[in-house]
Every structure is written in C-alpha cells, then in structure tokens.
Amino acid sequence: MATVTELIGQSVWDSNGVWVGFVVDIRVVRHKGELQQSHTVYGLVVSSVRAPLLLGLTRERQGRSPWLSRLLARIVYAGCTFVPWENVVDYGGGEVHIGVLRNELNRV
C-alpha cells in the first residue's frame, strides 16, 4: 500500500488511457475499537486542476465537520471526481491506473 504522500499529486488514468486528473485528497475509514487505531483507504478525490492539498480540510480531530469547513470544502471540491479504491488497478511511478472509464465516475 502506498502512503498518502506518495498518492497525492499522482496522475490518474482510466481503463482506456484517458487522463482523469490529479489525486488531491484521499478518503479513509477509521477503525474504532482496536488496540491501535487504523485507517483504510476507501477512495481518491481527483481533480483536473492542481488544487492545494485538501487533507484535513473538512474534519477536526474528533471527526466532526464545522460549518465553515463544510462550506469551504464544497467550494474547493467543486468539479472533483471520486474514485473508489476498489477501482484502482495499479499505482506507483507517479501514475494511478483505474479499471473504469472516466464518465462512469461520480462527482464529489
């Protein structure tokens, strides 16, 4: 598994070789109740515009989302695409390849 810093900024290509955009954020699920908290990646946020890093923009440490952060995220994430992690076929070397077409992906 790649680290978050390795995935941020990588180019994303669909199954036909069409460029989708750059990875600008990573969505994770936190597993509670374990001795050590762990996280699992469940998707990538991809933008055709190189946006600033969006990590931590919408959540506080307790997992809550203040109204100002939600509003700012809605503006910044406009036009971004969500790629579920199960659609990622290969990553590394500055590129992420997904197993679906670009037009099959949902907006954030």
Side-chain angles (χ1 to χ4, degrees):
M1 174 76 194
T3 63
V4 170
T5 56
E6 291 173 348
L7 289 171
I8 296 291
Q10 288 192 3
S11 292
V12 178
W13 301 85
D14 76 0
S15 59
N16 283 343
V18 175
W19 183 73
V20 179
F22 301 104
V23 177
V24 294
D25 199 4
I26 298 176
R27 299 280 173 96
V28 296
V29 175
R30 182 174 52 178
H31 303 287
K32 296 181 180 180
E34 299 178 8
L35 291 176
Q36 285 188 322
Q37 282 189 349
S38 62
H39 297 80
T40 302
V41 174
Y42 80 92
L44 307 173
V45 178
V46 178
S47 175
S48 59
V49 178
R50 275 216 191 245
L53 295 181
L54 304 176
L55 293 172
L57 178 68
T58 59
R59 298 276 182 250
E60 295 176 342
R61 290 191 73 130
Q62 296 81 18
R64 290 176 285 158
S65 180
W67 69 269
L68 182 59
S69 291
R70 286 193 307 267
L71 176 66
L72 183 59
R74 191 172 288 169
I75 293 168
V76 172
Y77 282 126
C80 290
T81 305
F82 180 73
V83 177
W85 185 251
E86 60 265 8
N87 292 336
V88 175
V89 176
D90 185 33
Y91 55 89
E95 295 183 346
V96 175
H97 296 274
I98 59 175
V100 296
L101 299 175
R102 178 182 185 171
N103 59 0
E104 296 174 1
L105 298 171
N106 295 323
R107 295 279 183 189
V108 174

